Amino acid sequence: GVQTCALPIYRKRTGWFYICCIGAAICKEDMALAVLVLGILVYFLYDKRAGIIVTVGSALYFLVMVFALIPVLGPAGYQYAGRLGQFGNTPLEAAKNFFLHPMRTLNILATRENLRYIFDLLLPVAFLSLFAPVYLLPAIPAFVINIISSFQPQHTILKDRKSVV
């Protein structure tokens, strides 16, 4: 088995696990997606009840934030929806088109720029993270959001900080 004694859930400390998940989710709305994937992992690897609670809770939190609270309170609506223009004008439309048009999605994802982004992400850790892919799974939602974004800085690792204004 995988040694994960640092995780509160591994030690059956679900209270601390829930607190950590809530803390992560409330940092930024898309972090709820990482917590959702973590909940799925916990369901299959450690504790079914805790996994279900975290998965359902983070999904509900994300949906309420992105489709109800942010559009109502934000003067411009959900600001990141415009960065998904290659797939649609709203997060729901973008998610639908992402899955319904796989060849188009592949053409958008498989670019030299995105391959460079992946390389730049993995190089500083000597690609060692690929040896424990289960720990990379919670990062997939943010990673996918970054590489499908039409906002170039979202999927570029800057090497020359002097050029940043």
Side-chain angles (χ1 to χ4, degrees), residues 37-51:
V37 174
L38 180 63
I40 293 169
L41 288 174
V42 165
Y43 176 84
F44 286 108
L45 299 176
Y46 302 106
D47 185 322
K48 293 196 181 312
R49 183 175 181 268

Side-chain angles (χ1 to χ4, degrees), residues 109 111-124 127 139 142-148 152-159:
L109 297 180
T111 64
R112 183 172 295 192
E113 184 178 66
N114 284 339
L115 290 174
R116 181 66 197 196
Y117 175 64
I118 295 166
F119 182 81
D120 288 345
L121 282 173
L122 296 173
L123 182 64
F127 298 88
F143 175 75
V144 170
I145 289 169
N146 284 347
I147 63 173
I148 68 171
Q152 185 193 13
Q154 201 165 335
H155 51 94
T156 304
I157 306 291
L158 294 175
K159 292 183 177 144

Side-chain angles (χ1 to χ4, degrees), residues 10-27:
Y10 184 77
R11 294 183 177 175
K12 301 293 183 189
R13 295 182 178 180
T14 53
W16 284 112
F17 174 66
Y18 296 141
I19 289 169
C20 291
C21 288
I22 290 168
I26 65 173
C27 287

Side-chain angles (χ1 to χ4, degrees), residues 6-154:
L7 292 175
I9 196 67
Y10 184 77
R11 294 183 177 175
K12 301 293 183 189
R13 295 182 178 180
T14 53
W16 284 112
F17 174 66
Y18 296 141
I19 289 169
C20 291
C21 288
I22 290 168
I26 65 173
C27 287
K28 190 168 180 280
E29 71 283 348
D30 64 341
M31 284 304 299
L33 296 175
V35 173
L36 184 145
V37 174
L38 180 63
I40 293 169
L41 288 174
V42 165
Y43 176 84
F44 286 108
L45 299 176
Y46 302 106
D47 185 322
K48 293 196 181 312
R49 183 175 181 268
I52 289 171
I53 290 170
V54 168
T55 301
V56 171
S58 58
L60 290 174
Y61 177 80
F62 178 78
L63 293 172
V64 167
M65 293 303 291
V66 172
F67 295 107
L69 198 58
I70 292 174
V72 169
L73 298 178
Y78 186 60
Q79 66 180 352
Y80 298 112
R83 295 181 180 179
L84 306 174
Q86 300 174 84
F87 291 95
N89 295 323
T90 66
L92 189 58
E93 187 179 329
K96 181 182 82 170
N97 289 329
F98 181 87
F99 292 107
L100 291 180
H101 305 286
M103 289 308 296
R104 185 167 180 263
T105 299
L106 183 62
N107 288 334
I108 291 170
L109 297 180
T111 64
R112 183 172 295 192
E113 184 178 66
N114 284 339
L115 290 174
R116 181 66 197 196
Y117 175 64
I118 295 166
F119 182 81
D120 288 345
L121 282 173
L122 296 173
L123 182 64
V125 293
F127 298 88
L128 291 174
S129 55
L130 297 177
F131 289 109
V134 72
Y135 294 114
L136 293 176
L137 292 176
I140 287 177
F143 175 75
V144 170
I145 289 169
N146 284 347
I147 63 173
I148 68 171
S149 174
S150 59
F151 183 60
Q152 185 193 13
Q154 201 165 335

